[in-house]
Amino acid sequence: MDGYATAEQVWAGGLIFARIGAILMLIPGVGESYVPPRIRLSLALVVSLALWPVVQGALPALPATVGGMVGWVLREVIVGLAIGAVLRAFTTALATAGEIVSLQTTLSFAQTANPLQAQPGTTIAAFLMLLGTTLIFATDTHHLFIAGLVGSYDLIAPARPLVTADFASLAIRTLGDSFMLGVQLSAPVIVFAIIFNLASGLVGRVMPSFQVFFAAAPLSVILGLSVFALSLGVLGTVFIDRYRALARIFVGGAGG
């Protein structure tokens, strides 16, 4: 190996690859199950090589023992998985919004394969998850991911102690914010459903002989989807703004 790279260089590259590979395994878009593993592996190698001149100063020296090497590699893998999990957890806001909209429009029985969650889900939830991934790349939010890879070495430097308490706090806050955002994104449909159900109940009380369910079921689907379609632009804008704010937490480490 000395003809191509020194032991220190191989160690630095492997340590960078441990963190970068773990992050790329989980972030939205690149870390999906339908992306071929060779593509993710190749991208992780290329990004690791590109970041090596930038972050090599923050890396520890080559340990003298095998146990020390394994410990450093495991630490970097854990850090990468934590960062990737936080970035992926926030996308559950769209799944939550889709499930709520499906329930309010009586379309929760319409199940389809969700490629971003590798499990069945409602059709609207799968659509919103795909929309969110498309917006991430269409708005160049994935550039923040790349900047966040560099910023993570300032925010969570290998030479510093692992801030597990801060990670746990960030993960809990992110999950809470994602659920709250999911409810907020589906708020127009929730308001419509409340008003529509109240109106249907009043009609049923005033006209007991009228088949309310027969007329209300198709109207609930049509009007509910219409409200959802009208609010789709605002939904996407709010989500991507909040998601970019989350990604800037890791980018901010480069400037701090």
Side-chain angles (χ1 to χ4, degrees), residues 56 107 156 200 222 230 234 252:
Q56 61 175 334
L107 291 177
I156 315 165
S200 299
I222 295 173
L230 291 174
V234 177

Side-chain angles (χ1 to χ4, degrees), residues 160-182:
R160 299 176 186 171
L162 189 60
V163 284
T164 54
D166 292 342
F167 260 130
S169 176
L170 178 61
I172 294 172
R173 187 170 70 250
T174 300
L175 287 174
D177 291 344
S178 66
F179 181 79
M180 182 175 63
L181 179 62

Side-chain angles (χ1 to χ4, degrees), residues 225-249:
L225 290 180
S226 299
V227 173
F228 171 69
L230 291 174
S231 62
L232 197 57
V234 177
L235 184 151
T237 301
V238 172
F239 168 75
I240 204 64
D241 287 343
R242 294 285 297 275
Y243 198 76
R244 289 174 70 91
L246 175 65
R248 288 193 182 96
I249 294 177

Side-chain angles (χ1 to χ4, degrees), residues 179-206:
F179 181 79
M180 182 175 63
L181 179 62
V183 176
Q184 292 173 346
L185 294 178
S186 59
V189 180
I190 294 176
V191 173
F192 157 76
I194 293 174
I195 297 174
F196 185 83
N197 290 331
L198 286 175
S200 299
L202 290 175
V203 172
R205 294 289 294 178
V206 174

Side-chain angles (χ1 to χ4, degrees), residues 2-233:
D2 290 338
Y4 300 94
T6 64
E8 289 285 349
Q9 291 174 332
V10 174
W11 163 249
L15 207 59
I16 295 172
F17 177 78
R19 178 183 292 200
I20 301 304
I23 295 176
L24 294 181
M25 188 173 66
L26 291 178
I27 62 173
V30 179
E32 312 302 341
S33 58
Y34 56 80
V35 178
R38 292 182 179 180
I39 299 298
R40 282 182 284 180
L41 177 62
S42 301
L43 181 60
L45 288 173
V46 171
V47 174
S48 299
L49 290 174
L51 294 184
W52 180 79
V54 181
V55 302
Q56 61 175 334
L59 300 177
L62 177 63
T65 62
V66 176
M69 295 174 60
V70 173
W72 278 112
V73 171
L74 289 178
R75 182 189 187 281
E76 290 301 290
V77 170
I78 292 173
V79 170
L81 291 176
I83 294 174
V86 168
L87 293 174
R88 173 167 289 275
F90 198 76
T91 60
T92 58
L94 295 176
T96 302
E99 295 292 340
I100 294 175
V101 171
S102 298
L103 286 171
Q104 299 302 324
T105 56
T106 68
L107 291 177
S108 58
F109 61 87
Q111 299 284 314
T112 186
N114 191 334
L116 303 185
Q117 293 184 327
Q119 63 182 4
T122 60
T123 303
I124 296 178
F127 166 73
L128 287 179
M129 293 288 286
L130 290 172
L131 175 65
T133 304
T134 303
L135 287 175
I136 288 173
F137 288 95
T139 59
D140 291 335
T141 303
H142 61 288
H143 293 174
L144 292 177
F145 293 166
I146 299 175
L149 297 178
V150 180
S152 68
Y153 282 91
D154 289 332
L155 191 66
I156 315 165
R160 299 176 186 171
L162 189 60
V163 284
T164 54
D166 292 342
F167 260 130
S169 176
L170 178 61
I172 294 172
R173 187 170 70 250
T174 300
L175 287 174
D177 291 344
S178 66
F179 181 79
M180 182 175 63
L181 179 62
V183 176
Q184 292 173 346
L185 294 178
S186 59
V189 180
I190 294 176
V191 173
F192 157 76
I194 293 174
I195 297 174
F196 185 83
N197 290 331
L198 286 175
S200 299
L202 290 175
V203 172
R205 294 289 294 178
V206 174
M207 303 174 60
S209 61
F210 181 70
Q211 298 294 330
V212 177
F213 182 78
F214 181 79
L219 284 176
S220 175
V221 175
I222 295 173
L223 296 179
L225 290 180
S226 299
V227 173
F228 171 69
L230 291 174
S231 62
L232 197 57

